[in-house]
Amino acid sequence: SDVCSSDLVTAEASSAQASTVTPLPPLDGILETSPAVLGEFSKDWGGFITASPKAVLRTSSVQDVVKIVNYARANCLKVAVNGQSGTADDQESHSFWGNASAPGGISIDAKGFNKIHSITSTHAVVGAGVSLHQLSAATLDRGLIVPSQTDYIRLSVGGVASVGGFG
């Protein structure tokens, strides 16, 4: 029998039917499936790749990420983190060739991980969803400067790190 499914199934629906699909675990955040939200996570920068996920996880909980990765693994779904950088009314994925897309799977919105934990004279500890703009502003407030930047500072730190520092 096929152990993989492309369907999202809640725990209630799974228990109501005989299914080989692992049920979706309870989450602290929300799993969005509206066409508008899925559309936001369907395109890469430049419009070269369009691949819609089945759901977008919006959370600030590391445990939710662990649960979704385990759920996706059990159900053979793709998972990708996407920072959706830009300004408040101009958000877009700056991934290249669909690197941050999860066609038929689950996109994780990194914006919930936008906390700056600490800044010292030698390093900063930040969440993956912190933008280079946020980090630069916070370091400048302390009389410090980020030693290396991309040409577009609205990118997320996690996104820049995932492509080797290019942006």
Side-chain angles (χ1 to χ4, degrees), residues 38-60:
L38 299 181
E40 293 172 21
F41 287 81
S42 294
K43 297 178 185 139
D44 70 345
W45 187 61
F48 294 108
I49 304 293
T50 300
S52 183
K54 285 196 181 267
V56 174
L57 175 64
R58 295 193 194 263
T59 189
S60 59

Side-chain angles (χ1 to χ4, degrees), residues 8 21 39 64 69 73 79-80 89 105 128 136 145 148-149 161-163:
L8 297 174
V21 176
D64 275 1
V69 168
R73 182 182 305 120
V79 175
D89 57 348
S136 293
I145 189 165
S148 178
Q149 292 279 6
S162 73
V163 294

Side-chain angles (χ1 to χ4, degrees), residues 87-154:
T87 58
D89 57 348
D90 182 26
Q91 299 285 309
E92 63 181 341
S93 175
H94 277 257
S95 71
F96 294 101
W97 296 104
N99 288 334
S101 67
I106 302 169
S107 289
I108 300 172
D109 185 353
K111 287 190 296 288
F113 297 95
N114 63 352
K115 183 176 181 188
I116 296 174
H117 299 282
S118 65
I119 296 175
T120 71
S121 62
T122 60
H123 67 278
V125 177
V126 304
V130 170
S131 73
L132 294 174
H133 180 265
Q134 290 171 292
L135 180 57
S136 293
T139 57
L140 288 172
D141 285 348
R142 292 166 175 80
L144 302 168
I145 189 165
V146 177
S148 178
Q149 292 279 6
T150 64
D151 62 344
Y152 182 62
I153 62 171
R154 299 284 180 190

Side-chain angles (χ1 to χ4, degrees), residues 22-43:
T22 300
L24 186 65
L27 301 168
D28 297 324
I30 55 173
L31 199 61
E32 296 195 48
T33 58
S34 75
V37 171
L38 299 181
E40 293 172 21
F41 287 81
S42 294
K43 297 178 185 139

